[in-house]
């Protein structure tokens, strides 16, 4: 597969299309795939066009950026903070829902835009924390970093890193991580988030005014600061994609319906031997216990391991888990009705982030 990777589009559809045409990307070519390393929205004024274009591409991988985290939170809480405005999320909300949707106090009324909310949530829900091929790891800013024995290291299990560590990782400065030697042997990390000109901080031969793609052993930094340069860097490579498999699971009507409606985007299971075989990108076919003929298929976009279902519940918004705020405390007890407490202590809990296959 020939992969075309971009990052930090920030609502610049015209610049994206120009860059992809120049790079030779052909969406009708079955051997071409687009990988977008996050921050699709905010700051530009063609956010709607970005959503429509990326949603219709047949072969794509979308990586979640910190601006997708921000937009998701803003939509859920219906309020803009000063930081959100600084990040340009107010302009994105206005473009999708109209200027009248935000009042002078920053409160947001999305009552007339339920369909648009669903489209945005489905789009963001389809995003991965990272995408790994034979030779590359595509992510937004960097991989999760933890401290061990007073030293910064990459999280040893990126496939099952807690959600909050991925949210932190989306703010990492790639040049700092690279300078610390936090790379992956045999892999090239392709990232964005901070503009490529920052390479001068780790490469004395790099011009501080150079916004072209930065390449060095183990890293490709893409962010061209599009809002300033009106340019988008495209990394082109040929690589072998992972092989994905499918799994079958059952759910009660209560949660099956919420997945079908797109209201539940995280499934909880015991991380036993069976579930340890689930990989990011795999397909899960859910059937309904009460109505076995009913089914819905989802793609796995993230896997997150926890010591208990209590800690799992704390790391996600209740709505993502299929609960209300008033009933989220019931989640650990509900899980203990399914799994023996000793098994939970032995194996831990698994949060499976999912995206409906529409």
């Amino acid at each position: 597969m020939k992969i075309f990777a971009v990052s930090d589009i920030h609502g610049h559809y015209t610049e994206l299309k120009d860059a992809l045409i120049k790079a030779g990307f052909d969406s009708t070519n079955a051997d071409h795939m687009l990988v977008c390393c996050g921050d699709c929205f905010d700051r530009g004024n063609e956010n709607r066009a970005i959503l429509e274009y990326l949603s219709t591409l047949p072969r794509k991988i979308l990586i979640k950026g910190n601006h997708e985290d921000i937009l998701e939170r803003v939509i859920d809480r219906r309020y803009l903070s000063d930081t959100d405005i600084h990040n340009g999320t107010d302009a994105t909300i206005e473009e999708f829902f109209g200027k009248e949707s935000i009042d002078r106090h920053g409160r947001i009324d999305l009552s007339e835009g339920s369909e648009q909310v669903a489209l945005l949530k489905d789009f963001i829900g389809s995003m991965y924390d990272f995408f790994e091929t034979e030779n590359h790891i595509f992510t937004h800013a960097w991989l999760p970093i933890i401290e061990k024995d007073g030293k910064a290291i990459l999280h040893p299990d990126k496939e099952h890193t807690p959600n909050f560590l991925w949210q932190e990782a989306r703010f990492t400065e790639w040049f700092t991580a690279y300078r610390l030697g936090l790379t992956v042997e045999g892999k090239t990390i392709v990232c964005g988030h901070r503009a490529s000109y920052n390479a001068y901080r780790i490469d004395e031969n790099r011009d501080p005014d150079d916004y072209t793609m930065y390449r060095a052993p183990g890293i490709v930094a893409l962010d061209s600061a599009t809002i300033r340069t009106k340019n988008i860097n495209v990394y082109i490579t040929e690589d072998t994609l992972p092989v994905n498999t499918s799994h079958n699971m059952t759910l009660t009507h209560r949660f099956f319906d919420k997945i079908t409606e797109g209201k539940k985007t995280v499934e909880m299971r015991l991380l036993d031997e069976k579930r340890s075989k689930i990989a990011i990108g795999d397909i899960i076919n859910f059937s309904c216990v009460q109505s076995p003929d009913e089914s819905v298929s989802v793609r796995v976009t993230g896997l997150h391991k926890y010591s208990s279902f209590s800690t799992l519940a704390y790391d996600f918004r209740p709505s993502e888990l299929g609960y209300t705020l008033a009933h989220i405390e019931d989640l650990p007890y509900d899980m203990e009705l399914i799994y023996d407490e000793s098994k939970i202590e032995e194996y831990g809990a698994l949060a499976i982030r999912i995206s409906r296959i529409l």
Side-chain angles (χ1 to χ4, degrees), residues 17 115 120 145 172 181 203 238 255 258 272 277 328 336 353:
K17 286 291 291 181
E115 184 176 337
L120 281 168
I145 298 170
T172 301
D203 185 345
E238 291 189 9
F255 293 118
K258 288 184 178 180
D272 56 11
K277 295 177 182 178
I328 188 61
E336 288 176 7
R353 285 214 336 267

Side-chain angles (χ1 to χ4, degrees), residues 77-264:
R77 72 171 183 248
R78 304 291 203 270
Y79 176 78
L80 283 162
S81 68
D82 290 341
T83 301
D84 300 328
I85 294 171
H86 170 76
N87 282 314
T89 308
D90 57 331
T92 303
I93 294 294
E94 288 182 353
E95 185 178 340
F96 280 114
F97 303 101
K99 289 188 176 182
E100 67 283 354
S101 63
I102 306 173
D103 70 15
R104 62 190 182 88
H105 299 293
R107 292 173 298 205
I108 305 172
D109 180 4
L110 303 182
S111 57
E112 300 298 321
S114 57
E115 184 176 337
Q116 199 72 255
V117 168
L119 286 172
L120 281 168
K121 285 201 167 188
D122 279 340
F123 182 81
I124 296 174
S126 71
M127 292 180 157
Y128 297 76
D129 297 311
F130 72 97
F131 176 64
E132 186 167 4
T133 59
E134 183 176 1
N135 301 300
H136 296 81
I137 300 174
F138 299 85
T139 192
H140 178 57
W142 209 252
L143 302 176
I145 298 170
I146 59 173
E147 186 176 305
K148 183 178 182 181
D149 300 327
K151 182 181 179 182
I153 64 168
L154 292 179
H155 194 286
D157 185 7
K158 65 180 180 298
E159 286 82 7
H160 298 98
T161 302
N163 187 47
F164 76 92
L165 286 177
W166 272 112
Q167 291 177 341
E168 291 178 2
R170 288 193 269 275
F171 283 93
T172 301
E173 295 178 329
W174 55 264
F175 46 88
T176 300
Y178 190 75
R179 184 165 49 209
L180 292 173
L182 301 176
T183 55
V184 179
E185 185 177 357
K187 300 278 186 175
T188 296
I189 296 176
V190 183
C191 62
H193 182 59
R194 293 300 187 202
S196 58
Y197 82 85
N198 282 290
Y200 82 89
R201 301 175 187 271
I202 54 176
D203 185 345
E204 62 182 13
N205 296 316
R206 181 78 172 191
D207 186 337
D209 294 321
D210 187 353
Y211 287 84
T212 60
M213 176 172 48
Y214 178 67
R215 299 181 64 175
I219 184 176
V220 172
L222 288 171
D223 184 6
S224 61
T226 303
I227 193 169
R228 183 183 305 173
T229 65
K230 303 305 178 187
N231 179 62
I232 290 177
N233 293 322
V234 183
Y235 174 60
I236 307 171
T237 184
E238 291 189 9
D239 208 343
T240 302
L241 305 184
V243 177
N244 300 126
T245 57
S246 62
H247 312 267
N248 297 316
M249 296 185 184
T250 58
L251 282 171
T252 62
H253 249 312
R254 175 187 174 191
F255 293 118
F256 178 87
D257 291 346
K258 288 184 178 180
I259 288 178
T260 302
E261 296 165 4
K263 295 178 180 179
K264 174 177 163 65

